[in-house]
Amino acid sequence: QKEVEQDPGPLSVPEGAIVSLNCTYSNSAFQYFMWYRQYSRKGPELLMYTYSSGNKEDGRFTAQVDKSSKYISLFIRDSQPSDSATYLCAMSQSNYQLIWGAGTKLIIKP
Amino acid sequence: DAMVIQNPRYQVTQFGKPVTLSCSQTLNHNVMYWYQQKSSQAPKLLFHYYDKDFNNEADTPDNFQSRRPNTSFCFLDIRSPGLGDAAMYLCATSRFSGRAVNVLTFGAGSRLTVL
């Protein structure tokens, strides 16, 4: 069993839809949770991070952590074609070594 | 702009012909990482340098070597590339202090093709 599981997609939704991206994990010691966005032929860039449980909102993006279920989510409201990318979750126990999901490819159709 | 620069962006090599990929950073970060990323897979950490300390992942093949001649530059050497080494190679940096979240800044990647 992988430490971090993420559905590779692709996930295709119409413009304006609410998108939900998810990861599950097995290590209950993880405390740092991150979402990176990777455009085609580019390196990943940090989108959001949360520490421990709870929600964090930044514009159209909301990150949620449910430690009891070992489940994290990224919600995108009012999705735009420019949001089309691969979204990678990453998490860490020590704030040092990151464990990565395989990424979910998101396609927003105009 | 401060950034992480990888060269070359695209590298084509023949089976068994050595390859060197380079990474430079102007962020003055103390940690540098090399990741291998294959299609639809999680990035796989090959090595990282924490200041001057070199850290090799246990499952990184001996075929892969790395050098960090100074704090700004890092190289990935693949001594005898095989077909299975075709991938995107990502360099990343971070300023790890143990207090703030360890945020990685990635370069655009070097895509390696092995013929």
Side-chain angles (χ1 to χ4, degrees), chain A residues 8 32 34 36 38 41-46 49 51 88 94-98 100-103, chain B residues 9-10 33 35 37 40-43 45 48 50 57 90 96 100-104 106-108:
Chain A
Y32 299 88
M34 301 171 187
Y36 281 78
Q38 185 174 22
R41 301 187 188 89
K42 297 285 180 65
E45 57 179 344
L46 181 70
Y49 68 86
Y51 173 69
L88 297 127
S94 63
N95 189 32
Y96 186 52
Q97 295 279 34
L98 292 182
W100 294 83
Chain B
R9 291 292 313 281
Y10 301 92
Y33 309 80
Y35 280 91
Q37 187 181 30
S40 302
Q41 294 185 22
L45 183 63
H48 73 278
Y50 182 37
E57 295 302 300
L90 294 164
F96 180 68
V101 171
N102 188 28
V103 176
L104 272 62
F106 283 86

mmCIF file of all heavy atoms in Angstrom, chain A residues 8 32 34 36 38 41-46 49 51 88 94-98 100-103, chain B residues 9-10 33 35 37 40-43 45 48 50 57 90 96 100-104 106-108:
data_model
loop_
_atom_site.group_PDB
_atom_site.id
_atom_site.type_symbol
_atom_site.label_atom_id
_atom_site.label_comp_id
_atom_site.label_asym_id
_atom_site.label_seq_id
_atom_site.Cartn_x
_atom_site.Cartn_y
_atom_site.Cartn_z
ATOM 1 N N PRO A 8 -5.347 9.382 -10.419
ATOM 2 C CA PRO A 8 -4.646 10.115 -11.481
ATOM 3 C C PRO A 8 -5.545 10.830 -12.468
ATOM 4 O O PRO A 8 -5.082 11.681 -13.233
ATOM 5 C CB PRO A 8 -3.834 9.016 -12.182
ATOM 6 C CG PRO A 8 -4.593 7.762 -11.906
ATOM 7 C CD PRO A 8 -5.192 7.930 -10.555
ATOM 8 N N TYR A 32 1.961 18.007 8.039
ATOM 9 C CA TYR A 32 2.028 19.080 7.052
ATOM 10 C C TYR A 32 1.436 18.571 5.748
ATOM 11 O O TYR A 32 1.837 17.517 5.256
ATOM 12 C CB TYR A 32 3.480 19.517 6.840
ATOM 13 C CG TYR A 32 4.136 20.054 8.078
ATOM 14 C CD1 TYR A 32 4.783 19.190 8.967
ATOM 15 C CD2 TYR A 32 4.107 21.409 8.377
ATOM 16 C CE1 TYR A 32 5.371 19.668 10.116
ATOM 17 C CE2 TYR A 32 4.704 21.891 9.529
ATOM 18 C CZ TYR A 32 5.333 21.020 10.392
ATOM 19 O OH TYR A 32 5.917 21.503 11.528
ATOM 20 N N MET A 34 0.234 19.644 1.762
ATOM 21 C CA MET A 34 0.441 20.647 0.726
ATOM 22 C C MET A 34 -0.215 20.226 -0.574
ATOM 23 O O MET A 34 -0.373 19.039 -0.859
ATOM 24 C CB MET A 34 1.937 20.823 0.475
ATOM 25 C CG MET A 34 2.698 21.245 1.714
ATOM 26 S SD MET A 34 4.462 21.186 1.459
ATOM 27 C CE MET A 34 5.027 21.512 3.116
ATOM 28 N N TYR A 36 0.406 21.089 -4.636
ATOM 29 C CA TYR A 36 1.206 21.701 -5.682
ATOM 30 C C TYR A 36 0.446 21.577 -6.998
ATOM 31 O O TYR A 36 -0.232 20.587 -7.258
ATOM 32 C CB TYR A 36 2.568 21.002 -5.819
ATOM 33 C CG TYR A 36 3.587 21.408 -4.780
ATOM 34 C CD1 TYR A 36 3.533 20.909 -3.483
ATOM 35 C CD2 TYR A 36 4.624 22.285 -5.097
ATOM 36 C CE1 TYR A 36 4.473 21.272 -2.532
ATOM 37 C CE2 TYR A 36 5.571 22.655 -4.156
ATOM 38 C CZ TYR A 36 5.487 22.150 -2.873
ATOM 39 O OH TYR A 36 6.416 22.513 -1.932
ATOM 40 N N GLN A 38 0.975 21.625 -11.180
ATOM 41 C CA GLN A 38 2.000 21.443 -12.202
ATOM 42 C C GLN A 38 1.376 21.583 -13.578
ATOM 43 O O GLN A 38 0.568 20.737 -13.999
ATOM 44 C CB GLN A 38 2.676 20.068 -12.055
ATOM 45 C CG GLN A 38 3.826 19.848 -13.006
ATOM 46 C CD GLN A 38 4.579 18.553 -12.747
ATOM 47 O OE1 GLN A 38 4.041 17.619 -12.139
ATOM 48 N NE2 GLN A 38 5.827 18.477 -13.195
ATOM 49 N N ARG A 41 4.799 20.497 -18.905
ATOM 50 C CA ARG A 41 6.189 20.848 -19.212
ATOM 51 C C ARG A 41 6.770 21.875 -18.236
ATOM 52 O O ARG A 41 7.720 22.599 -18.586
ATOM 53 C CB ARG A 41 6.337 21.353 -20.648
ATOM 54 C CG ARG A 41 5.895 20.352 -21.688
ATOM 55 C CD ARG A 41 6.210 20.838 -23.091
ATOM 56 N NE ARG A 41 5.631 19.973 -24.102
ATOM 57 C CZ ARG A 41 4.419 20.120 -24.591
ATOM 58 N NH1 ARG A 41 3.660 21.099 -24.189
ATOM 59 N NH2 ARG A 41 3.951 19.279 -25.500
ATOM 60 N N LYS A 42 6.200 21.949 -17.050
ATOM 61 C CA LYS A 42 6.730 22.847 -16.028
ATOM 62 C C LYS A 42 6.958 22.070 -14.723
ATOM 63 O O LYS A 42 6.441 20.960 -14.551
ATOM 64 C CB LYS A 42 5.750 23.994 -15.752
ATOM 65 C CG LYS A 42 5.499 24.912 -16.929
ATOM 66 C CD LYS A 42 6.677 25.834 -17.162
ATOM 67 C CE LYS A 42 6.473 26.770 -18.323
ATOM 68 N NZ LYS A 42 5.363 27.722 -18.080
ATOM 69 N N GLY A 43 7.699 22.681 -13.812
ATOM 70 C CA GLY A 43 7.849 22.082 -12.495
ATOM 71 C C GLY A 43 6.655 22.417 -11.619
ATOM 72 O O GLY A 43 5.915 23.371 -11.870
ATOM 73 N N PRO A 44 6.433 21.630 -10.561
ATOM 74 C CA PRO A 44 5.330 21.928 -9.640
ATOM 75 C C PRO A 44 5.548 23.258 -8.922
ATOM 76 O O PRO A 44 6.692 23.664 -8.690
ATOM 77 C CB PRO A 44 5.377 20.762 -8.639
ATOM 78 C CG PRO A 44 6.158 19.680 -9.312
ATOM 79 C CD PRO A 44 7.144 20.386 -10.192
ATOM 80 N N GLU A 45 4.450 23.912 -8.575
ATOM 81 C CA GLU A 45 4.524 25.129 -7.766
ATOM 82 C C GLU A 45 3.534 24.994 -6.608
ATOM 83 O O GLU A 45 2.440 24.444 -6.771
ATOM 84 C CB GLU A 45 4.199 26.368 -8.594
ATOM 85 C CG GLU A 45 2.846 26.325 -9.259
ATOM 86 C CD GLU A 45 2.514 27.577 -10.056
ATOM 87 O OE1 GLU A 45 3.182 28.609 -9.859
ATOM 88 O OE2 GLU A 45 1.582 27.519 -10.857
ATOM 89 N N LEU A 46 3.941 25.498 -5.450
ATOM 90 C CA LEU A 46 3.080 25.384 -4.274
ATOM 91 C C LEU A 46 1.822 26.221 -4.445
ATOM 92 O O LEU A 46 1.880 27.396 -4.772
ATOM 93 C CB LEU A 46 3.829 25.827 -3.017
ATOM 94 C CG LEU A 46 3.016 25.720 -1.727
ATOM 95 C CD1 LEU A 46 2.807 24.249 -1.358
ATOM 96 C CD2 LEU A 46 3.715 26.464 -0.586
ATOM 97 N N TYR A 49 -0.872 25.219 1.618
ATOM 98 C CA TYR A 49 -0.456 24.247 2.618
ATOM 99 C C TYR A 49 -1.263 24.441 3.893
ATOM 100 O O TYR A 49 -1.764 25.533 4.169
ATOM 101 C CB TYR A 49 1.036 24.332 2.929
ATOM 102 C CG TYR A 49 1.461 25.601 3.639
ATOM 103 C CD1 TYR A 49 1.393 25.707 5.019
ATOM 104 C CD2 TYR A 49 1.945 26.676 2.909
ATOM 105 C CE1 TYR A 49 1.780 26.859 5.664
ATOM 106 C CE2 TYR A 49 2.342 27.840 3.541
ATOM 107 C CZ TYR A 49 2.265 27.929 4.919
ATOM 108 O OH TYR A 49 2.645 29.066 5.557
ATOM 109 N N TYR A 51 -1.361 23.036 8.155
ATOM 110 C CA TYR A 51 -0.692 22.322 9.231
ATOM 111 C C TYR A 51 -1.754 21.691 10.118
ATOM 112 O O TYR A 51 -2.699 22.371 10.535
ATOM 113 C CB TYR A 51 0.188 23.266 10.046
ATOM 114 C CG TYR A 51 0.788 22.628 11.276
ATOM 115 C CD1 TYR A 51 1.763 21.646 11.159
ATOM 116 C CD2 TYR A 51 0.354 22.989 12.556
ATOM 117 C CE1 TYR A 51 2.303 21.045 12.286
ATOM 118 C CE2 TYR A 51 0.896 22.391 13.683
ATOM 119 C CZ TYR A 51 1.868 21.430 13.544
ATOM 120 O OH TYR A 51 2.399 20.834 14.652
ATOM 121 N N LEU A 88 -0.859 17.900 -7.422
ATOM 122 C CA LEU A 88 -0.159 16.904 -6.612
ATOM 123 C C LEU A 88 -0.334 17.242 -5.139
ATOM 124 O O LEU A 88 -0.104 18.384 -4.732
ATOM 125 C CB LEU A 88 1.338 16.897 -6.934
ATOM 126 C CG LEU A 88 1.736 16.525 -8.346
ATOM 127 C CD1 LEU A 88 2.635 17.575 -8.951
ATOM 128 C CD2 LEU A 88 2.457 15.192 -8.357
ATOM 129 N N SER A 94 7.662 15.427 9.392
ATOM 130 C CA SER A 94 8.672 16.223 10.076
ATOM 131 C C SER A 94 8.837 17.609 9.497
ATOM 132 O O SER A 94 9.709 18.347 9.934
ATOM 133 C CB SER A 94 10.012 15.504 9.983
ATOM 134 O OG SER A 94 10.382 15.415 8.616
ATOM 135 N N ASN A 95 8.050 17.976 8.507
ATOM 136 C CA ASN A 95 8.227 19.249 7.795
ATOM 137 C C ASN A 95 9.514 19.242 6.987
ATOM 138 O O ASN A 95 10.025 20.277 6.620
ATOM 139 C CB ASN A 95 8.236 20.441 8.764
ATOM 140 C CG ASN A 95 8.205 21.766 8.030
ATOM 141 O OD1 ASN A 95 7.624 21.879 6.964
ATOM 142 N ND2 ASN A 95 8.847 22.778 8.598
ATOM 143 N N TYR A 96 10.021 18.068 6.700
ATOM 144 C CA TYR A 96 11.260 18.027 5.940
ATOM 145 C C TYR A 96 11.081 17.135 4.721
ATOM 146 O O TYR A 96 10.956 17.614 3.606
ATOM 147 C CB TYR A 96 12.404 17.554 6.833
ATOM 148 C CG TYR A 96 13.759 17.615 6.190
ATOM 149 C CD1 TYR A 96 14.209 18.784 5.590
ATOM 150 C CD2 TYR A 96 14.593 16.508 6.162
ATOM 151 C CE1 TYR A 96 15.447 18.840 4.982
ATOM 152 C CE2 TYR A 96 15.832 16.573 5.565
ATOM 153 C CZ TYR A 96 16.263 17.730 4.981
ATOM 154 O OH TYR A 96 17.492 17.786 4.386
ATOM 155 N N GLN A 97 11.018 15.848 4.923
ATOM 156 C CA GLN A 97 10.850 14.940 3.795
ATOM 157 C C GLN A 97 9.379 14.901 3.377
ATOM 158 O O GLN A 97 8.504 14.633 4.192
ATOM 159 C CB GLN A 97 11.291 13.520 4.186
ATOM 160 C CG GLN A 97 12.758 13.398 4.497
ATOM 161 C CD GLN A 97 13.607 13.267 3.246
ATOM 162 O OE1 GLN A 97 13.300 13.845 2.216
ATOM 163 N NE2 GLN A 97 14.688 12.518 3.334
ATOM 164 N N LEU A 98 9.144 15.163 2.107
ATOM 165 C CA LEU A 98 7.775 15.140 1.600
ATOM 166 C C LEU A 98 7.462 13.792 0.973
ATOM 167 O O LEU A 98 8.301 13.206 0.283
ATOM 168 C CB LEU A 98 7.585 16.231 0.550
ATOM 169 C CG LEU A 98 7.644 17.683 1.015
ATOM 170 C CD1 LEU A 98 7.387 18.613 -0.152
ATOM 171 C CD2 LEU A 98 6.638 17.930 2.116
ATOM 172 N N TRP A 100 4.814 12.226 -1.718
ATOM 173 C CA TRP A 100 3.992 12.781 -2.777
ATOM 174 C C TRP A 100 2.924 11.819 -3.251
ATOM 175 O O TRP A 100 3.128 10.604 -3.295
ATOM 176 C CB TRP A 100 4.874 13.132 -3.981
ATOM 177 C CG TRP A 100 5.853 14.222 -3.738
ATOM 178 C CD1 TRP A 100 7.091 14.108 -3.160
ATOM 179 C CD2 TRP A 100 5.691 15.602 -4.065
ATOM 180 N NE1 TRP A 100 7.693 15.336 -3.116
ATOM 181 C CE2 TRP A 100 6.867 16.261 -3.660
ATOM 182 C CE3 TRP A 100 4.665 16.336 -4.678
ATOM 183 C CZ2 TRP A 100 7.045 17.635 -3.846
ATOM 184 C CZ3 TRP A 100 4.844 17.695 -4.852
ATOM 185 C CH2 TRP A 100 6.017 18.332 -4.438
ATOM 186 N N GLY A 101 1.781 12.384 -3.638
ATOM 187 C CA GLY A 101 0.816 11.636 -4.421
ATOM 188 C C GLY A 101 1.233 11.660 -5.881
ATOM 189 O O GLY A 101 2.125 12.416 -6.276
ATOM 190 N N ALA A 102 0.566 10.823 -6.688
ATOM 191 C CA ALA A 102 0.927 10.717 -8.104
ATOM 192 C C ALA A 102 0.362 11.853 -8.934
ATOM 193 O O ALA A 102 0.759 12.026 -10.085
ATOM 194 C CB ALA A 102 0.452 9.375 -8.668
ATOM 195 N N GLY A 103 -0.553 12.642 -8.366
ATOM 196 C CA GLY A 103 -1.123 13.763 -9.092
ATOM 197 C C GLY A 103 -2.418 13.402 -9.791
ATOM 198 O O GLY A 103 -2.578 12.278 -10.271
ATOM 199 N N ARG B 9 16.687 21.861 -21.018
ATOM 200 C CA ARG B 9 15.272 21.544 -20.825
ATOM 201 C C ARG B 9 14.936 20.189 -21.440
ATOM 202 O O ARG B 9 14.102 19.455 -20.918
ATOM 203 C CB ARG B 9 14.397 22.622 -21.445
ATOM 204 C CG ARG B 9 14.446 23.968 -20.736
ATOM 205 C CD ARG B 9 13.800 23.913 -19.344
ATOM 206 N NE ARG B 9 12.508 23.257 -19.344
ATOM 207 C CZ ARG B 9 11.359 23.808 -19.721
ATOM 208 N NH1 ARG B 9 11.348 25.069 -20.130
ATOM 209 N NH2 ARG B 9 10.228 23.117 -19.694
ATOM 210 N N TYR B 10 15.584 19.885 -22.542
ATOM 211 C CA TYR B 10 15.357 18.607 -23.217
ATOM 212 C C TYR B 10 16.725 18.003 -23.563
ATOM 213 O O TYR B 10 17.593 18.692 -24.090
ATOM 214 C CB TYR B 10 14.541 18.797 -24.508
ATOM 215 C CG TYR B 10 13.192 19.434 -24.252
ATOM 216 C CD1 TYR B 10 13.039 20.818 -24.328
ATOM 217 C CD2 TYR B 10 12.086 18.659 -23.919
ATOM 218 C CE1 TYR B 10 11.810 21.411 -24.081
ATOM 219 C CE2 TYR B 10 10.852 19.242 -23.672
ATOM 220 C CZ TYR B 10 10.725 20.612 -23.749
ATOM 221 O OH TYR B 10 9.509 21.191 -23.497
ATOM 222 N N TYR B 33 17.336 19.633 -4.055
ATOM 223 C CA TYR B 33 16.809 18.289 -4.264
ATOM 224 C C TYR B 33 16.856 17.927 -5.750
ATOM 225 O O TYR B 33 16.703 18.788 -6.612
ATOM 226 C CB TYR B 33 15.327 18.211 -3.869
ATOM 227 C CG TYR B 33 14.948 18.733 -2.504
ATOM 228 C CD1 TYR B 33 14.791 20.104 -2.266
ATOM 229 C CD2 TYR B 33 14.676 17.858 -1.453
ATOM 230 C CE1 TYR B 33 14.408 20.573 -1.026
ATOM 231 C CE2 TYR B 33 14.282 18.320 -0.206
ATOM 232 C CZ TYR B 33 14.147 19.682 -0.001
ATOM 233 O OH TYR B 33 13.761 20.154 1.231
ATOM 234 N N TYR B 35 14.675 15.255 -8.131
ATOM 235 C CA TYR B 35 13.571 14.322 -8.224
ATOM 236 C C TYR B 35 13.529 13.737 -9.637
ATOM 237 O O TYR B 35 13.869 14.414 -10.617
ATOM 238 C CB TYR B 35 12.234 15.027 -7.995
ATOM 239 C CG TYR B 35 11.877 15.296 -6.556
ATOM 240 C CD1 TYR B 35 12.232 16.501 -5.948
ATOM 241 C CD2 TYR B 35 11.144 14.375 -5.812
ATOM 242 C CE1 TYR B 35 11.867 16.767 -4.625
ATOM 243 C CE2 TYR B 35 10.783 14.630 -4.496
ATOM 244 C CZ TYR B 35 11.146 15.827 -3.917
ATOM 245 O OH TYR B 35 10.784 16.091 -2.607
ATOM 246 N N GLN B 37 10.644 12.212 -12.189
ATOM 247 C CA GLN B 37 9.192 12.112 -12.331
ATOM 248 C C GLN B 37 8.853 11.457 -13.656
ATOM 249 O O GLN B 37 9.189 11.976 -14.717
ATOM 250 C CB GLN B 37 8.532 13.488 -12.241
ATOM 251 C CG GLN B 37 7.001 13.406 -12.213
ATOM 252 C CD GLN B 37 6.341 14.771 -12.138
ATOM 253 O OE1 GLN B 37 6.877 15.771 -12.625
ATOM 254 N NE2 GLN B 37 5.164 14.843 -11.524
ATOM 255 N N SER B 40 2.447 10.289 -14.942
ATOM 256 C CA SER B 40 1.384 9.836 -14.033
ATOM 257 C C SER B 40 1.918 9.178 -12.757
ATOM 258 O O SER B 40 1.220 8.369 -12.147
ATOM 259 C CB SER B 40 0.433 8.859 -14.751
ATOM 260 O OG SER B 40 -0.139 9.466 -15.878
ATOM 261 N N GLN B 41 3.136 9.515 -12.379
ATOM 262 C CA GLN B 41 3.695 8.976 -11.137
ATOM 263 C C GLN B 41 4.111 10.110 -10.210
ATOM 264 O O GLN B 41 4.373 11.230 -10.650
ATOM 265 C CB GLN B 41 4.902 8.077 -11.427
ATOM 266 C CG GLN B 41 4.560 6.818 -12.188
ATOM 267 C CD GLN B 41 5.761 5.900 -12.342
ATOM 268 O OE1 GLN B 41 6.727 5.981 -11.581
ATOM 269 N NE2 GLN B 41 5.695 5.016 -13.328
ATOM 270 N N ALA B 42 4.179 9.783 -8.943
ATOM 271 C CA ALA B 42 4.653 10.754 -7.970
ATOM 272 C C ALA B 42 6.123 11.063 -8.219
ATOM 273 O O ALA B 42 6.887 10.191 -8.641
ATOM 274 C CB ALA B 42 4.467 10.195 -6.559
ATOM 275 N N PRO B 43 6.536 12.292 -7.958
ATOM 276 C CA PRO B 43 7.970 12.592 -8.021
ATOM 277 C C PRO B 43 8.728 11.696 -7.050
ATOM 278 O O PRO B 43 8.297 11.490 -5.915
ATOM 279 C CB PRO B 43 8.040 14.066 -7.589
ATOM 280 C CG PRO B 43 6.671 14.617 -7.821
ATOM 281 C CD PRO B 43 5.741 13.479 -7.592
ATOM 282 N N LEU B 45 12.187 11.137 -5.037
ATOM 283 C CA LEU B 45 13.385 11.812 -4.569
ATOM 284 C C LEU B 45 14.605 10.926 -4.803
ATOM 285 O O LEU B 45 14.629 9.759 -4.389
ATOM 286 C CB LEU B 45 13.261 12.160 -3.088
ATOM 287 C CG LEU B 45 14.407 12.942 -2.469
ATOM 288 C CD1 LEU B 45 14.551 14.315 -3.130
ATOM 289 C CD2 LEU B 45 14.213 13.099 -0.968
ATOM 290 N N HIS B 48 19.262 14.669 -1.943
ATOM 291 C CA HIS B 48 19.153 16.065 -1.571
ATOM 292 C C HIS B 48 20.387 16.480 -0.777
ATOM 293 O O HIS B 48 21.083 15.641 -0.181
ATOM 294 C CB HIS B 48 17.863 16.373 -0.802
ATOM 295 C CG HIS B 48 17.839 15.868 0.604
ATOM 296 N ND1 HIS B 48 17.520 14.573 0.936
ATOM 297 C CD2 HIS B 48 18.062 16.503 1.776
ATOM 298 C CE1 HIS B 48 17.549 14.423 2.245
ATOM 299 N NE2 HIS B 48 17.882 15.579 2.787
ATOM 300 N N TYR B 50 21.497 19.067 2.201
ATOM 301 C CA TYR B 50 21.091 19.974 3.270
ATOM 302 C C TYR B 50 22.357 20.707 3.680
ATOM 303 O O TYR B 50 23.229 20.127 4.321
ATOM 304 C CB TYR B 50 20.481 19.206 4.430
ATOM 305 C CG TYR B 50 19.996 20.064 5.566
ATOM 306 C CD1 TYR B 50 19.402 21.292 5.337
ATOM 307 C CD2 TYR B 50 20.148 19.638 6.888
ATOM 308 C CE1 TYR B 50 18.953 22.075 6.382
ATOM 309 C CE2 TYR B 50 19.699 20.418 7.940
ATOM 310 C CZ TYR B 50 19.102 21.636 7.682
ATOM 311 O OH TYR B 50 18.657 22.416 8.720
ATOM 312 N N GLU B 57 18.997 8.765 -1.288
ATOM 313 C CA GLU B 57 17.887 7.872 -0.946
ATOM 314 C C GLU B 57 18.335 6.426 -1.113
ATOM 315 O O GLU B 57 19.116 6.089 -2.014
ATOM 316 C CB GLU B 57 16.679 8.160 -1.833
ATOM 317 C CG GLU B 57 16.082 9.543 -1.622
ATOM 318 C CD GLU B 57 15.644 9.764 -0.190
ATOM 319 O OE1 GLU B 57 14.771 9.007 0.291
ATOM 320 O OE2 GLU B 57 16.191 10.683 0.462
ATOM 321 N N LEU B 90 13.568 16.809 -12.049
ATOM 322 C CA LEU B 90 13.207 18.080 -11.425
ATOM 323 C C LEU B 90 14.200 18.431 -10.330
ATOM 324 O O LEU B 90 14.503 17.609 -9.467
ATOM 325 C CB LEU B 90 11.802 17.997 -10.815
ATOM 326 C CG LEU B 90 10.644 17.818 -11.795
ATOM 327 C CD1 LEU B 90 9.393 17.368 -11.054
ATOM 328 C CD2 LEU B 90 10.380 19.099 -12.554
ATOM 329 N N PHE B 96 15.116 25.520 4.564
ATOM 330 C CA PHE B 96 14.573 24.782 5.697
ATOM 331 C C PHE B 96 15.151 25.324 6.988
ATOM 332 O O PHE B 96 16.363 25.361 7.174
ATOM 333 C CB PHE B 96 14.892 23.295 5.567
ATOM 334 C CG PHE B 96 14.347 22.481 6.710
ATOM 335 C CD1 PHE B 96 12.975 22.317 6.862
ATOM 336 C CD2 PHE B 96 15.186 21.883 7.635
ATOM 337 C CE1 PHE B 96 12.466 21.580 7.916
ATOM 338 C CE2 PHE B 96 14.687 21.141 8.693
ATOM 339 C CZ PHE B 96 13.328 20.992 8.822
ATOM 340 N N ALA B 100 9.332 27.364 9.947
ATOM 341 C CA ALA B 100 8.287 27.602 8.942
ATOM 342 C C ALA B 100 8.100 26.349 8.092
ATOM 343 O O ALA B 100 8.941 25.437 8.099
ATOM 344 C CB ALA B 100 8.673 28.773 8.065
ATOM 345 N N VAL B 101 7.001 26.304 7.381
ATOM 346 C CA VAL B 101 6.725 25.181 6.490
ATOM 347 C C VAL B 101 7.823 25.079 5.428
ATOM 348 O O VAL B 101 8.287 26.083 4.898
ATOM 349 C CB VAL B 101 5.348 25.372 5.821
ATOM 350 C CG1 VAL B 101 5.124 24.335 4.735
ATOM 351 C CG2 VAL B 101 4.255 25.282 6.862
ATOM 352 N N ASN B 102 8.242 23.856 5.156
ATOM 353 C CA ASN B 102 9.308 23.625 4.172
ATOM 354 C C ASN B 102 8.708 23.670 2.771
ATOM 355 O O ASN B 102 8.187 22.675 2.262
ATOM 356 C CB ASN B 102 9.967 22.267 4.441
ATOM 357 C CG ASN B 102 11.199 22.056 3.598
ATOM 358 O OD1 ASN B 102 11.879 23.003 3.212
ATOM 359 N ND2 ASN B 102 11.521 20.801 3.307
ATOM 360 N N VAL B 103 8.789 24.825 2.120
ATOM 361 C CA VAL B 103 8.207 25.011 0.797
ATOM 362 C C VAL B 103 9.271 24.799 -0.260
ATOM 363 O O VAL B 103 10.333 25.432 -0.228
ATOM 364 C CB VAL B 103 7.620 26.436 0.666
ATOM 365 C CG1 VAL B 103 7.109 26.656 -0.750
ATOM 366 C CG2 VAL B 103 6.507 26.643 1.683
ATOM 367 N N LEU B 104 9.000 23.911 -1.197
ATOM 368 C CA LEU B 104 9.939 23.630 -2.284
ATOM 369 C C LEU B 104 9.638 24.525 -3.482
ATOM 370 O O LEU B 104 8.480 24.684 -3.873
ATOM 371 C CB LEU B 104 9.844 22.161 -2.704
ATOM 372 C CG LEU B 104 10.725 21.163 -1.949
ATOM 373 C CD1 LEU B 104 10.378 21.104 -0.479
ATOM 374 C CD2 LEU B 104 10.639 19.793 -2.596
ATOM 375 N N PHE B 106 10.512 24.670 -7.444
ATOM 376 C CA PHE B 106 10.994 23.774 -8.489
ATOM 377 C C PHE B 106 11.475 24.555 -9.712
ATOM 378 O O PHE B 106 10.961 25.631 -10.036
ATOM 379 C CB PHE B 106 9.882 22.829 -8.941
ATOM 380 C CG PHE B 106 9.613 21.711 -7.988
ATOM 381 C CD1 PHE B 106 8.745 21.883 -6.915
ATOM 382 C CD2 PHE B 106 10.213 20.470 -8.162
ATOM 383 C CE1 PHE B 106 8.495 20.849 -6.032
ATOM 384 C CE2 PHE B 106 9.956 19.424 -7.278
ATOM 385 C CZ PHE B 106 9.104 19.612 -6.216
ATOM 386 N N GLY B 107 12.437 23.961 -10.401
ATOM 387 C CA GLY B 107 12.765 24.399 -11.737
ATOM 388 C C GLY B 107 11.759 23.827 -12.729
ATOM 389 O O GLY B 107 10.866 23.062 -12.357
ATOM 390 N N ALA B 108 11.938 24.191 -13.997
ATOM 391 C CA ALA B 108 11.003 23.750 -15.035
ATOM 392 C C ALA B 108 11.226 22.304 -15.448
ATOM 393 O O ALA B 108 10.399 21.722 -16.142
ATOM 394 C CB ALA B 108 11.101 24.666 -16.254
#
